[in-house]
Amino acid sequence: MASLNYLWQNRLQSRRFSAPFFKSWAKRLLTFPELLKSNRRRTALIRKGATIAPTAEIGLVVINGKKDNLVIGDFSTLGRVEIALHDKVTIGNNVCINDGVIILSASHDVLDPLWRHKKAPITIGDYAWIATNAILLPGVKIGKGAVVGAGAVVSKDVNEYAIVTGNPAKEINKKRTESLNYNPCEFLATNNAWLK
C-alpha cells in the first residue's frame, strides 16, 4: 500500500460522527494489518537497493536478483507478481500489473551451443496495464498506455497505446485512448478507506 504518511495526509475527510466518518474508520481498522505488511515489503526492498515511489502499491511479490535493478514509479500497483532482476526493470507511473504476471529480464540463448545466459532491461511505460498471467521476456519495452492482454507472452516491444494479446503477443486493431488520467491504486480496497 502507499506509505502510511502519504495515506494519512490524503485520507478521506468526513464530518465527525457522520455515517461516512464511521464507515471510513471501520475500513481503516480492518485494512490496517494489510497496510503494515505492504509497507514492510516496500521498506525491505528499498533497504536492499530498490527505488520505489512512496505512492506505489506492492502486493505479494516474489523478486529475485539484485534489488537495485528495480525502479517503480508513482501510483503504480503490483499484485502477486514474479520479477527476475538479472537486469534493470523500470516500471513507470500509474502502471497496473495484475496477479500472475512474470517479468523475466534474462533467459538462455537457444541458438547458442553453450546455452549461455543472456539478459536485457525491461521498461514499462506510464499508464501501461499488464493483465493477469502475462509474461514479459528480456529486453522488451512496453509503451505508454499499452495493454498486454491476459496470458500474453511478450517477446517484442509494444507500441504506445497498443493492445497486444496471445502467444506470441501480437497487436490487435483496437487502440487504447490516449487521454488517460487515472490512478490504479485508488481501486484497491485498502486505499478506498484512506484516499480522497
Side-chain angles (χ1 to χ4, degrees):
M1 304 300 139
S3 70
L4 291 173
N5 186 38
Y6 172 83
L7 289 173
W8 182 256
Q9 290 173 354
N10 294 281
R11 70 191 181 280
L12 177 67
Q13 300 286 333
S14 302
R15 276 190 338 205
R16 289 183 189 261
F17 308 114
S18 65
F21 173 85
F22 287 112
K23 184 177 178 181
S24 65
W25 277 102
K27 281 174 128 181
R28 288 173 188 154
L29 290 173
L30 289 171
T31 59
F32 193 70
E34 181 56 36
L35 183 66
L36 290 176
K37 287 178 194 173
S38 178
N39 271 279
R40 280 195 291 270
R41 285 191 292 269
R42 170 205 316 283
T43 301
L45 287 168
I46 290 170
R47 283 187 181 144
K48 292 177 182 174
T51 303
I52 303 173
T55 57
E57 301 289 341
I58 309 300
L60 297 173
V61 296
V62 174
I63 300 176
N64 297 308
K66 295 174 64 177
K67 307 306 184 271
D68 59 351
N69 279 333
L70 181 63
V71 176
I72 302 174
D74 281 314
F75 301 108
S76 289
T77 180
L78 283 69
R80 290 183 168 101
V81 175
E82 290 184 43
I83 304 174
L85 291 172
H86 299 281
D87 207 322
K88 192 104 172 156
V89 173
T90 304
I91 299 168
N93 301 321
N94 299 87
V95 172
C96 181
I97 302 179
N98 291 135
D99 291 349
V101 170
I102 300 173
I103 300 172
L104 302 171
S105 62
S107 186
H108 292 276
D109 186 351
V110 295
L111 301 177
D112 180 356
L114 298 175
W115 201 49
R116 282 179 272 229
H117 200 238
K118 65 177 188 176
K119 61 181 184 171
I122 294 175
T123 304
I124 302 172
D126 297 346
Y127 288 104
W129 173 24
I130 315 300
T132 304
N133 295 329
I135 300 173
L136 305 184
L137 297 179
V140 298
K141 181 178 180 182
I142 309 299
K144 179 179 182 179
V147 176
V148 175
V153 178
V154 181
S155 60
K156 296 180 180 173
D157 291 353
V158 177
N159 295 321
E160 290 188 354
Y161 306 103
I163 302 171
V164 298
T165 61
N167 178 8
K170 292 185 178 164
E171 190 170 335
I172 64 172
N173 289 332
K174 291 182 183 178
K175 285 266 191 210
R176 195 170 188 202
T177 181
E178 293 186 22
S179 57
L180 298 169
N181 187 22
Y182 64 89
N183 173 356
C185 297
E186 287 181 358
F187 301 114
L188 300 173
T190 307
N191 283 347
N192 284 336
W194 294 88
L195 296 175
K196 292 179 185 175

